[in-house]
Amino acid sequence: MTFYTYHYLTTQHSTWQYLRIALLIALLVAFMGLFFYYLRHRWNVKYKDLSIITGTLLLLVLGLQINSLVSLRSASEQTGEITGIVTNVAQQLRVSPKKLAVNATTSNTNLLIKAPDGYYRLDYNSDNSAYLIEKVTLHQPKIKLVKE
């Protein structure tokens, strides 16, 4: 069973997004350079072809980046929900949120919380508007803690 720390949940943003943005900027610069070079030397058709290929790659990477940002936004909203739950549980257990770990990165009905003094299960009511914290004992737990 995998548990994720509060620090992991709050700093889970992907660093490869920055790599895509850098690739996007590099393609934009290459496209502009090739296109302007083609405009200066209209007799050399290879720069026109290279600028079309670069422009197509630029549009492809831009589309992937927009899709990725939309999915990152929804993931951030779901992570915000789970971090809110962890902070509420930390207040009720009277511990720091940094000492807690949860078994999911999105909020669902089967959440287990790993605290310094044991494991807790969140038992939701029928409309998921409230929950009860119940201490549980795991038999032969195989715990993997993801910190960062």
Side-chain angles (χ1 to χ4, degrees):
M1 186 177 298
T2 305
F3 281 87
Y4 304 95
T5 62
Y6 182 77
H7 184 265
Y8 175 80
L9 292 173
T10 55
T11 61
Q12 186 184 354
H13 304 292
S14 302
T15 57
W16 57 271
Q17 291 289 337
Y18 299 119
L19 181 64
R20 275 197 185 158
I21 291 172
L23 178 66
L24 191 65
I25 291 171
L27 281 173
L28 182 63
V29 168
F31 172 73
M32 289 173 45
L34 289 169
F35 186 70
F36 288 131
Y37 196 80
Y38 164 69
L39 290 178
R40 289 182 68 200
H41 306 284
R42 289 192 187 263
W43 51 267
N44 202 346
V45 185
K46 78 175 180 182
Y47 292 108
K48 176 184 175 186
D49 295 338
L50 285 174
S51 66
I52 290 172
I53 291 170
T54 308
T56 305
L57 283 174
L58 179 68
L59 290 176
L60 178 69
V61 171
L62 183 64
L64 289 173
Q65 183 66 23
I66 289 171
N67 184 30
S68 213
L69 287 176
V70 168
S71 65
L72 182 66
R73 181 178 177 199
S74 67
S76 295
E77 289 172 359
Q78 290 175 348
T79 302
E81 290 175 13
I82 196 73
T83 55
I85 291 170
V86 170
T87 54
N88 287 339
V89 170
Q91 287 175 353
Q92 292 176 359
L93 295 177
R94 293 183 181 92
V95 295
S96 170
K98 294 178 182 179
K99 293 182 180 182
L100 297 180
V102 66
N103 71 331
T105 57
T106 60
S107 60
N108 57 24
T109 58
N110 296 323
L111 285 180
L112 289 176
I113 304 286
K114 180 184 179 300
D117 62 338
Y119 296 93
Y120 294 90
R121 180 175 66 99
L122 299 184
D123 189 17
Y124 286 91
N125 63 355
S126 60
D127 63 349
N128 291 338
S129 62
Y131 56 84
L132 173 71
I133 301 174
E134 177 182 30
K135 188 164 184 163
V136 294
T137 304
L138 300 178
H139 297 286
Q140 299 176 349
K142 295 178 182 174
I143 303 298
K144 177 184 172 188
L145 190 62
V146 179
K147 295 182 180 179
E148 183 74 38

